Amino acid sequence: GFLLKLQADTLSDEQFVDLCRRSGRFPDLVDRLLSLDRLNEAISAAASASDYDLLALADLFAQHGHDTGI
């Protein structure tokens, strides 16, 4: 997580998303996807996340204005 945050500004969006997917960093992945208005991909990523991550992911959806109808 620490290294990902350090490299976040130097990676392209696609590189960041790919790295998050490969490393299982679902909160970072969902946050970036929502920032890019890629809601369907964010929902798919959230569906793959563990129960442990779901509450944090729900907060991310709400922060990005997607807290109704999901």
Side-chain angles (χ1 to χ4, degrees):
F2 178 72
L3 291 175
L4 183 63
K5 299 236 186 268
L6 286 176
Q7 294 180 334
D9 294 335
T10 61
L11 298 173
S12 72
D13 289 327
E14 290 309 313
Q15 289 171 322
F16 186 89
V17 166
D18 183 55
L19 185 57
C20 288
R21 281 191 175 121
R22 287 187 289 126
S23 61
R25 304 279 308 171
F26 290 104
D28 294 320
L29 172 61
V30 169
D31 188 40
R32 181 63 64 102
L33 290 171
L34 290 172
S35 295
L36 297 170
D37 293 322
R38 292 163 58 175
L39 179 60
N40 289 336
E41 287 180 71
I43 292 170
S44 288
S48 300
S50 69
D51 292 343
Y52 178 80
D53 287 325
L54 286 179
L55 193 53
L57 295 179
D59 286 340
L60 287 173
F61 279 96
Q63 289 172 13
H64 286 272
H66 299 289
D67 55 341
T68 58
I70 293 180

